[in-house]
Amino acid sequence: MRGLEPVLAELRLRVNGVEHQLTVDTRTSLLDLLREHLDLTGSKKGCDHGQCGACTILIDGRRANACLALAVAHAGAEITTVEGLAGAGENGDDLHPLQRAFIEHDAFQCGYCTPGQLCSAVGMLTEFERGWPSAVTPVNAQVELTEAEIRERMSGNLCRCGAYANIVPAIAQAGE
């Protein structure tokens, strides 16, 4: 009976600036590839259904739920995880402006959702800079980074601790 054996595929991806050649089961999600094959555990497995945003990463600069993305569908992609947000700097440990803003605003409690919040916010700010409207952007209006815009654009990322009161101002500061 066919179907019991996994189907393997070779793929090449660039993760946080490093090229990887891997052989994976074609059913492997990007989240499982990152965590189990590359030991990049920053992206969290929350709901595993694309509803909480804890696994948010950037695929070719656009935010995506890694739990819903099949690794083989993204062969050749540039993947950025929370581990790749920090700059190269002199010591290799310069924080991304959003990471600094989250620290300054104490925009996390338990920290479980923070990697996904950070990656989503990076993608969201890129969308904003490109002038992409959201569901709350008035028709024919110039997009402004208001609290309502930030809340709407980040609505796919949940925080069970309720740190939103500090997450929104942190994102606003980084978006200035």
Side-chain angles (χ1 to χ4, degrees):
M1 184 164 123
R2 185 146 164 65
L4 296 178
E5 294 296 319
V7 177
L8 301 179
E10 295 277 330
L11 76 136
R12 183 185 315 253
L13 326 145
R14 194 167 177 78
V15 181
N16 299 330
V18 178
E19 189 82 23
H20 295 276
Q21 179 82 29
L22 301 153
T23 302
V24 296
D25 184 321
T26 55
R27 300 168 292 185
T28 303
S29 70
L30 272 175
L31 179 59
D32 289 337
L33 180 138
L34 293 167
R35 294 181 60 80
E36 296 172 15
H37 296 266
L38 300 179
D39 293 323
L40 294 171
T41 58
S43 302
K44 302 301 184 215
K45 188 175 277 200
C47 67
D48 213 19
H49 293 351
Q51 297 176 350
C52 72
C55 66
T56 305
I57 59 170
L58 300 170
I59 302 172
D60 294 327
R62 297 194 61 185
R63 54 191 170 152
N65 291 330
C67 72
L68 297 180
L70 287 176
V72 294
H74 297 286
E78 176 72 41
I79 308 296
T80 304
T81 68
V82 69
E83 293 93 341
L85 291 182
E90 189 175 306
N91 299 323
D93 59 0
D94 291 343
L95 293 179
H96 186 281
L98 270 162
Q99 291 171 311
R100 284 195 303 274
F102 267 58
I103 292 168
E104 288 173 29
H105 288 270
D106 196 26
F108 45 85
Q109 287 182 32
C110 78
Y112 195 82
C113 72
T114 304
Q117 297 275 1
L118 287 165
C119 285
S120 188
V122 168
M124 183 270 303
L125 288 174
T126 300
E127 294 164 10
F128 171 76
E129 289 167 6
R130 292 179 179 164
W132 296 1
S134 77
V136 298
T137 306
V139 176
N140 298 323
Q142 183 170 342
V143 181
E144 294 181 33
L145 193 61
T146 63
E147 184 175 307
E149 278 286 341
I150 293 169
R151 287 184 185 283
E152 170 62 25
R153 291 169 185 263
M154 293 296 293
S155 64
N157 291 81
L158 304 178
C159 172
R160 288 177 176 87
C161 299
Y164 302 113
N166 297 345
I167 291 170
V168 172
I171 294 170
Q173 175 184 315
E176 293 176 344

